[in-house]
């Protein structure tokens, strides 16, 4: 049991960290803490985990809920402009090329449901099925949202 | 895939830093270990607490109870000091009117301990411990009797105490056996004397012997009277009274010996006493030569008594005190012989007979 869990940790620790990194304004320290929290929660519930199901989807669900709780506790009510400016600062610190900077900024201003599916799809490299499982929506909805999100993003980037 | 999607696919993928990874890993290990041990640890913790509680209860209640009440807790045992302490506390808390009863109980306890010790008489220093216990028992007995008398308790209570202690001393005597050290046998015999009140009889007889003026010339009687007076009065300062010092020394000599000649040319009291003693020994020997008594015990005891008398005669010239003590213990042994002699089991002879027939 312990061995299995640690294997899962090795396999998914970077993904979870990445998940939080993209959603917490690229804050490494906070992302690390959140990653730790998620794995501890997973460890607590590991006895109830069905090995025949996807561990990835399972751990991402835990991560998502944890993030929601984090926002709730932090009482984050941010305006789009505030979020954008914070993201810009964070992105600038990333030292990535300018084109990607634009993409980040554009993603950041998308509506939550679109931002999430795009992040899960491209930042976290999850497939539609896993995204559907994490967000508890149908795969069709996932596909639809991704398409819609890409449309909005294209328009946004075109306008810059 | 258009350009956008290509770009999206190229979004940076960050990794957990090594330091953070190690930190999380270490904590996970600890959590896993804790989780593994948690059910057993809780059980163990509960069991340990229950065990610790039981042990504490044992120590606080059962052990003192056992130490206090247990007759097997004897001098030399680990719990004996605790037993003594508990008795001390009981005495200190007792009301005055109850103290006599407590003293009586404690006296019986000391005898019970001596009885237990007597069964392991081969162990070193056991005989000394028995003697100490006998002394303690007698002292406690005196306090008890004093308490009963003061409180106006009936003689029946004192008689019951004497009867109980006589029985216990008999057990001790038989457990120790005639083969035990002379000192121990003497202690038991003298203790029996006290319990039976014979010690007072002996003292009285000694006093009467000194006071007996019949068949004594007046001079001797005067001397006896002088000694009697001296015995009762305080010693006079030898510096003040030269004659008194001389008289005192003479009196002491005769008082101590009890057998000092009152007059020259007459049968000495001491010799009379020895004669009486020898007569008693002869009578005892005849009385004990019965099939119900272990004859080996009888023989050993009679030999001990005779040896004491013989030694007393040998040393009376040089050691009056020693001679007196020997004769006193010889008398006590003679009077209490039946307590030391084991009685034969009626079936013993039959069993011996059966064994002999089988061997044939």
């Amino acid at each position: 049991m312990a061995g299995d869990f640690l294997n899962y940790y090795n396999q998914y620790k970077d993904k979870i960290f990445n998940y939080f990194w993209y959603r917490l304004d690229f804050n490494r320290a906070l992302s690390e803490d959140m990653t730790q929290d998620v794995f501890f929660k997973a460890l607590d519930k590991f006895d109830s985990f069905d090995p025949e199901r996807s561990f990835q989807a399972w751990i991402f669900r835990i991560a998502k809920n944890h993030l929601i709780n984090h926002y709730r506790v932090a009482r984050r009510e941010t305006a789009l402009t505030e979020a954008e400016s914070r993201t810009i600062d964070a992105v600038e610190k990333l030292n990535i090329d300018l084109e990607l900077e634009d993409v980040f900024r554009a993603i950041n201003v998308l509506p939550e449901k679109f931002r999430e599916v795009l992040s899960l799809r491209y930042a976290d490299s999850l497939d539609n099925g896993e995204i559907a499982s994490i967000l508890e929506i149908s795969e069709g909805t996932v596909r639809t949202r991704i398409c819609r999100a890409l449309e909005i993003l294209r328009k946004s980037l075109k306008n810059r | 895939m258009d350009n956008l999607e290509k770009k999206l696919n190229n979004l940076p993928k960050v990794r957990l830093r090594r330091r953070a990874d190690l930190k999380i890993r270490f904590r996970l290990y600890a959590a896993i270990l804790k989780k593994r041990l948690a059910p057993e640890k809780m059980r163990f913790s509960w069991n340990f607490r229950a065990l610790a509680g039981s042990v504490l209860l044992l120590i606080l209640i059962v052990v003192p109870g056992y130490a206090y009440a247990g007759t097997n807790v004897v001098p030399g045992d680990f719990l004996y000091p605790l037993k003594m302490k508990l008795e001390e506390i009981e005495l200190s808390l007792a009301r005055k009117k109850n103290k006599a009863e407590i003293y009586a109980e404690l006296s019986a306890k000391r005898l019970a301990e001596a009885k237990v010790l007597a069964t392991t008489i081969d162990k070193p220093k056991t005989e000394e411990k028995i003697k100490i216990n006998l002394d303690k028992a007698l002292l406690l007995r005196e306090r008890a009797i004093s308490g009963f008398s003061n409180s106006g308790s009936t003689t029946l209570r004192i008689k019951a105490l004497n009867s109980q202690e006589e029985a216990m001393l008999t057990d001790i005597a038989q457990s120790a056996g005639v083969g035990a050290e002379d000192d121990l046998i003497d202690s038991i015999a003298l203790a029996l004397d006290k319990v039976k009140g014979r010690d007072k009889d002996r003292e009285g007889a000694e006093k009467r012997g000194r006071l007996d003026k019949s068949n004594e010339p007046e001079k001797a009687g005067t001397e006896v009277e002088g000694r009697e007076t001296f015995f009762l009065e305080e010693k006079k300062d030898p510096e003040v009274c030269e004659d008194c010092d001389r008289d005192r020394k003479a009196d002491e000599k005769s008082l101590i010996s009890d057998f000092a000649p009152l007059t020259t040319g007459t049968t000495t009291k001491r010799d009379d006493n020895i004669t009486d003693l020898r007569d008693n020994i002869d009578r005892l020997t005849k009385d004990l030569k019965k099939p119900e008594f272990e004859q080996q015990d009888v023989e050993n005891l009679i030999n001990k008594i005779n040896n004491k008398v013989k030694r007393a005669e040998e040393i009376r010239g040089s050691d009056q005190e020693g001679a007196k003590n020997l004769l006193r213990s010889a008398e006590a042994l003679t009077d209490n012989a039946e307590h030391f002699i084991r009685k034969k089991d009626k079936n013993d002879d039959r069993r011996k007979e059966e064994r002999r027939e089988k061997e044939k």
Side-chain angles (χ1 to χ4, degrees):
Chain A
M1 171 261 195
D4 292 338
F5 186 83
L6 289 169
N7 285 338
Y8 284 132
Y9 169 76
N10 287 333
Q11 207 173 336
Y12 297 103
K13 64 182 191 300
D14 293 328
K15 286 192 172 186
I16 298 298
F17 175 71
N18 194 71
Y19 174 88
F20 284 118
W21 188 73
Y22 274 100
R23 290 155 180 82
L24 294 171
D25 298 327
F26 315 112
N27 187 325
R28 248 188 195 275
L30 185 57
S31 300
E32 284 166 1
D33 290 344
M34 296 287 275
T35 305
Q36 180 181 275
D37 293 343
V38 162
F39 278 100
F40 270 100
K41 281 189 177 182
L43 180 62
D44 271 344
K45 298 176 186 177
F46 194 62
D47 290 335
S48 61
F49 170 70
D50 183 359
E52 288 182 13
R53 298 181 69 179
S54 166
F55 182 86
Q56 183 170 248
W58 185 69
I59 195 109
F60 268 93
R61 264 202 302 281
I62 295 172
K64 185 194 88 171
N65 292 331
H66 192 58
L67 187 66
I68 292 168
N69 288 338
H70 169 77
Y71 286 139
R72 198 176 294 138
V73 169
R75 291 181 186 176
R76 296 186 61 176
E77 291 179 0
T78 57
L80 278 171
T81 50
E82 278 182 42
E84 193 178 329
S85 67
R86 194 165 44 249
T87 305
I88 288 165
D89 293 338
V91 167
E92 279 172 1
K93 285 177 188 172
L94 287 176
N95 200 26
I96 52 175
D97 62 48
L98 289 170
E99 280 189 2
L100 269 178
E101 266 189 52
D102 292 334
V103 172
F104 275 124
R105 287 195 195 104
I107 290 172
N108 209 49
V109 296
L110 283 174
E112 171 65 31
K113 62 182 181 179
F114 295 131
R115 188 169 68 238
E116 189 60 24
V117 292
L118 273 186
S119 297
L120 287 170
R121 178 68 180 82
Y122 294 107
D124 300 317
S125 307
L126 297 177
D127 59 36
N128 291 345
E130 284 170 338
I131 294 168
S133 174
I134 290 164
L135 298 178
E136 293 172 323
I137 53 178
S138 67
E139 275 191 62
T141 309
V142 172
R143 274 197 295 273
T144 305
R145 284 187 188 178
I146 288 172
C147 286
R148 186 78 183 105
L150 286 172
E151 276 175 34
I152 299 168
L153 213 58
R154 280 189 198 102
K155 277 182 185 173
S156 172
L157 288 168
K158 203 171 179 180
N159 293 338
R160 285 178 190 273
Chain B
M1 187 183 293
D2 64 353
N3 206 24
L4 177 59
E5 282 187 74
K6 276 183 190 172
K7 284 179 186 171
L8 288 172
N9 281 329
N10 287 329
L11 283 174
K13 306 280 190 291
V14 290
R15 297 179 66 145
L16 204 56
R17 282 180 297 192
R18 180 150 178 80
R19 197 173 175 180
D21 176 30
L22 287 172
K23 190 173 80 174
I24 295 169
R25 199 181 287 271
F26 178 78
R27 287 177 183 174
L28 279 173
Y29 286 150
I32 289 167
L33 195 65
K34 193 177 174 183
K35 202 175 179 183
R36 262 188 187 166
L37 292 173
E40 289 80 12
K41 192 183 178 188
M42 278 170 67
R43 280 198 297 272
F44 175 74
S45 171
W46 183 88
N47 281 343
F48 180 76
R49 282 179 196 164
L51 183 67
S54 304
V55 168
L56 197 64
L57 198 70
L58 194 76
I59 291 167
L60 289 175
I61 294 170
V62 174
V63 169
Y66 170 74
Y68 180 72
T71 51
N72 287 332
V73 180
V74 295
D77 281 358
F78 172 71
L79 290 175
Y80 196 71
L82 176 63
K83 185 178 184 179
M84 290 294 102
K85 201 69 196 170
L86 290 168
E87 286 177 4
E88 209 177 299
I89 293 167
E90 188 193 10
L91 262 174
S92 64
L93 293 174
R95 289 182 187 174
K96 239 179 179 176
K97 60 178 180 180
N98 296 333
K99 277 195 172 169
E101 276 300 336
I102 294 171
Y103 281 130
E105 278 173 23
L106 294 179
S107 176
K109 274 190 179 179
R110 297 293 86 80
L111 291 178
E113 287 162 14
K115 184 183 166 186
V116 171
L117 285 167
T119 59
T120 60
I121 208 157
D122 298 329
K123 287 185 181 174
K125 297 185 185 176
T126 303
E127 296 194 353
E128 191 58 40
K129 288 175 189 170
I130 295 171
K131 279 188 278 181
I132 291 169
N133 261 45
L134 289 176
D135 290 343
K136 283 183 183 176
L138 292 173
L139 179 62
L140 288 161
R141 180 181 170 280
E142 278 173 31
R143 287 181 187 173
I145 289 172
S146 169
F148 289 138
S149 304
N150 291 341
S151 67
S153 288
T154 61
T155 343
L156 281 173
R157 181 65 190 93
I158 298 169
K159 272 188 179 177
L161 176 65
N162 288 341
S163 173
Q164 180 193 18
E165 296 201 334
E166 189 181 327
M168 291 178 96
L169 284 165
T170 305
D171 289 341
I172 295 167
Q174 300 216 341
S175 292
V178 177
E181 276 183 17
D182 282 0
D183 279 351
L184 177 59
I185 291 178
D186 290 345
S187 296
I188 297 170
L190 291 169
L192 278 161
D193 263 3
K194 280 210 170 188
V195 166
K196 291 177 181 179
R198 283 195 189 146
D199 57 332
K200 291 193 175 66
D201 293 342
R202 283 194 219 291
E203 281 174 18
E206 286 164 14
K207 281 186 192 174
R208 282 194 298 278
R210 288 191 293 275
L211 288 171
D212 190 2
K213 294 173 194 176
S214 61
N215 304 323
E216 305 289 345
E218 214 162 273
K219 192 182 174 187
T222 308
E223 283 180 23
V224 170
E225 196 174 351
R227 280 201 294 280
E228 165 70 358
T229 308
F230 175 80
F231 187 74
L232 292 173
E233 285 177 356
E234 287 178 8
K235 292 179 185 176
K236 290 177 187 171
D237 191 344
E239 289 179 5
V240 173
C241 172
E242 290 172 2
D243 292 338
C244 292
D245 187 41
R246 178 176 51 80
D247 288 343
R248 182 176 61 80
K249 282 182 180 167
D251 290 343
E252 275 181 352
K253 229 176 165 179
S254 61
L255 275 171
I256 287 168
S257 72
D258 222 21
F259 302 104
L262 298 173
T263 58
T264 53
T266 59
T267 309
T268 64
K269 200 65 187 170
R270 177 194 57 199
D271 288 339
D272 282 345
N273 282 345
I274 291 179
T275 308
D276 286 341
L277 185 53
R278 286 203 186 282
D279 288 344
N280 285 339
I281 293 168
D282 289 338
R283 177 190 51 76
L284 180 68
T285 309
K286 284 174 192 164
D287 286 345
L288 293 176
K289 268 219 185 323
K290 285 176 184 168
E292 66 252 39
F293 297 116
E294 282 288 349
Q295 291 306 306
Q296 192 60 51
D297 285 355
V298 172
E299 193 181 323
N300 288 342
L301 192 67
I302 300 295
N303 285 342
K304 277 186 193 273
I305 297 170
N306 282 329
N307 285 340
K308 283 182 193 292
V309 175
K310 191 180 170 188
R311 277 205 334 263
E313 285 176 324
E314 284 167 4
I315 66 171
R316 66 190 177 191
S318 56
D319 182 3
Q320 298 285 349
E321 177 71 22
K324 184 193 175 191
N325 287 337
L326 279 168
L327 288 170
R328 181 175 276 178
S329 70
E331 280 179 4
L333 268 177
T334 308
D335 291 341
N336 297 302
E338 72 274 17
H339 296 283
F340 288 88
I341 308 296
R342 287 171 296 164
K343 283 193 177 164
K344 270 187 185 176
D345 184 359
K346 288 174 186 174
N347 296 321
D348 248 4
D349 289 337
R350 185 170 53 79
R351 281 196 218 111
K352 280 181 187 170
E353 196 59 42
E354 285 170 2
R355 234 179 280 135
R356 260 186 248 125
E357 280 176 11
K358 276 183 186 173
E359 281 167 11
K360 283 178 188 174

